[in-house]
Amino acid sequence: MALPSSGVRFRRVLAHFPAELSLAFAYGSGVFRQAGDSAGPGENNMLDFVFAVDDAVTWHMMNLTKNRSHYSFLKVLGPKQINSVQNYGAGIYYNTLVPCNGRMIKYGVISTDTLIDDLLHWKTLYVAGRLQKPVKILTQNENSKLQAALVSNLKSAVTAAFLMLPESFSEEDLYMQIAGLSYTGDFRMIVGEDRSKVQNIVEPNVPHFQKLYSNILQDCPQVVYKHHLGRLEIKVQKVNLHN
């Protein structure tokens, strides 16, 4: 379940940053309760954010003016070099261990185009994978390409999960497969991370997964969605061997 009054708190965090965001969301155990979380209800957990921006160089320039202390030594190199570093790997630049409104936060900055590319093609699945699980959307502009890519990412996650499930399965089984997609092949799941992490994410948050995926499942021609039973069945096409 989501933490109480979290929306207002997170939007207050946004007030500390340049407003030119195509998408901003909060995610992780500071937003949604996780089973077995040693930090209790999440009040002591770091708050995690991702900011998507159309012009990363300009955004970093404005953020350096407002929040220079957030950056590492890279701040002396300026926004163009920060953007160059951002373009490596998953295309996202994080500032972490930032005190804000009495909490510790970290925030990642990604260009809108890089985000759309990851959502559509799963180039790294780094941010696309986070958006396959419940997140708290704080602001989103009217970029139709971004909105279409967000929906496409969810539909692709459902299709990929179907391929790994039997003909009949529960909603929780589906959400476990979806939540596990971005951890497949992640070395941290072998060394360091709690191996029950996916289960801990899904079990307390099934209603949030339902909110994210129910319309897609209801409209999906590949499956019979028995919402009242919490079960799904893959439609198996019969092959006529006499043709």
Side-chain angles (χ1 to χ4, degrees), residues 159-173:
T159 301
F162 284 168
L163 296 174
M164 296 180 283
L165 288 164
E167 291 181 13
S168 178
F169 48 90
S170 70
E171 275 190 270
E172 188 167 321
D173 291 335

Side-chain angles (χ1 to χ4, degrees), residues 187-195:
F187 184 70
R188 294 175 302 168
M189 298 303 288
I190 302 172
V191 178
E193 284 282 4
D194 182 354
R195 294 187 185 186

